[in-house]
Amino acid sequence: FILFIIPAIIVGVWLCFTYFILVLEGTRGMDALKASKEYVRGLWFPVFIRLVALIVAVMLFMMIVTIVSEIIFGKGDITDMLTTIVNLIISPFSLVYAYHLYLDVKRAKHRPSHEPDPVLA
């Protein structure tokens, strides 16, 4: 089981832009998967760090909301409803963050060689 975690993380970072490529570039199937991997090639670690930062920030925010709502309202339906509402509010921000990461990586791959790399800056 442990041996599959690291390859899953690697492949997950490679394929993290597949949805954007599928929708925005109109590339389908395996070509979208290959394009996502190509975008991440050479930038795997910066993309990974930014995705981890997003996940940690969302998890911390949701933990704080859950703990505060449990202190105020106790465990129950109100706490569950509040955390669901906060999750519905924060999810679009996560998608926008991932979209801007996609744009930065795409720009870095298509930039002239004399310009600085925006993803690594």
Side-chain angles (χ1 to χ4, degrees), residues 18-35:
T18 303
Y19 292 120
F20 297 115
I21 294 168
L22 182 73
V23 172
L24 300 174
E25 297 179 18
T27 306
R28 301 275 181 222
M30 284 300 273
D31 292 333
L33 298 173
K34 290 176 186 177

Side-chain angles (χ1 to χ4, degrees), residues 42-108:
L43 300 171
W44 188 91
F45 193 71
V47 171
F48 172 74
I49 291 298
R50 282 158 179 79
L51 291 175
V52 168
L54 172 66
I55 292 167
V56 168
V58 168
M59 286 176 57
L60 285 174
F61 185 74
M62 290 304 295
M63 283 176 28
I64 290 169
V65 168
T66 303
I67 290 169
V68 169
S69 65
E70 284 182 358
I71 290 171
I72 295 172
F73 302 111
K75 291 186 179 183
D77 293 337
I78 294 176
T79 299
D80 292 342
M81 184 177 65
L82 184 63
T83 55
T84 301
I85 290 169
V86 170
N87 196 11
L88 287 172
I89 293 169
I90 204 168
S91 292
F93 290 106
S94 300
L95 184 63
V96 168
Y97 180 87
Y99 172 70
H100 282 283
L101 181 60
Y102 158 75
L103 291 178
D104 287 345
V105 168
K106 184 177 179 180
R107 198 174 303 120

